[in-house]
Amino acid sequence: MPRSLSLRRFAFAAALLSSLSFAGGAHAGVLHFDDLADGLVPLNYGGLDWSRFGWTAFSTEAEPYTAHSGAGRVASGFLASDASSLIGFGQAVRFDGAWFAGQSGAVLSFELFYQGQRVAGSQSLDPSATPSFLASGYAGLVDAVQVKSQNHGEFVMDDFSFTAAPVPEPQSYALLLGGLIGIAAVVRRRQA
């Protein structure tokens, strides 16, 4: 086999192996709220930042505030501002959306943020007693989401869904560095 062909195969294999080692870090998360006691949502529930005031969890049946799954769901404070509904992820994620039910006319939407800048907004949803999914409509990374509505407190949210971005593990960096050193050694040997 010609030496240049084996060098190309080695370089391709090293690049493929290092790229595969970065692929395994993503994980999906869905917050169902079924494990919460009735009352204020804990500040770091689900690893997210719920420190804005007004998110309340409850599990008692109450039409039209229907849960999508289980009995738990959350509501923003009655007549709250949009700013009080901000939920921080603490890392870059792909936000998928959430299920909503509530009073007709409590039209709501999402505003999506990354590094303090608004990057996208969702379509609007007019809730009803039958839970409906409101998709973010954005495939990029975000680190915070805000629920916008003129009628906070007249809808509930359930099954809040997101996918955490993959974070390379330290051994991935070591594998990549080892592959690059190996390629450099082969290239150097070939030149000599």
Side-chain angles (χ1 to χ4, degrees):
M1 176 182 309
R3 184 169 255 203
S4 64
L5 182 60
S6 66
L7 177 62
R8 282 190 212 137
R9 284 185 180 170
F10 177 75
F12 176 76
L16 180 64
L17 187 59
S18 66
S19 68
L20 289 176
S21 67
F22 285 93
H27 72 278
V30 178
L31 299 180
H32 301 287
F33 308 109
D34 296 330
D35 57 339
L36 290 176
D38 290 359
L40 290 177
V41 174
L43 299 182
N44 64 348
Y45 175 71
L48 307 185
D49 179 5
W50 298 83
S51 63
R52 303 295 174 130
F53 295 105
W55 284 106
T56 303
F58 67 99
S59 57
T60 306
E61 287 188 35
E63 286 286 333
Y65 306 106
T66 314
H68 175 250
S69 68
R73 59 244 191 243
V74 297
S76 56
F78 186 68
L79 297 177
S81 69
D82 290 340
S84 69
S85 71
L86 188 74
I87 303 161
F89 291 99
Q91 64 177 335
V93 303
R94 190 187 79 232
F95 177 63
D96 302 314
W99 290 82
F100 290 91
Q103 298 285 340
S104 179
V107 178
L108 54 103
S109 63
F110 291 122
E111 292 285 315
L112 308 172
F113 297 89
Y114 187 65
Q115 297 179 345
Q117 300 295 314
R118 180 189 180 277
V119 293
S122 72
Q123 293 185 355
S124 297
L125 172 72
D126 189 356
S128 69
T130 302
S132 298
F133 187 74
L134 177 59
S136 74
Y138 181 66
L141 296 177
V142 301
D143 55 17
V145 63
Q146 182 180 73
V147 180
K148 291 182 56 89
S149 178
Q150 294 291 324
N151 302 87
H152 283 279
E154 295 183 10
F155 59 83
V156 293
M157 181 172 68
D158 196 7
D159 296 344
F160 185 84
S161 305
F162 59 95
T163 304
V167 177
E169 297 177 5
Q171 60 265 31
S172 299
Y173 289 116
L175 182 61
L176 177 62
L177 181 61
L180 292 173
I181 291 171
I183 291 169
V186 169
V187 169
R188 192 164 189 204
R189 176 191 265 166
R190 187 169 183 264
Q191 290 174 344

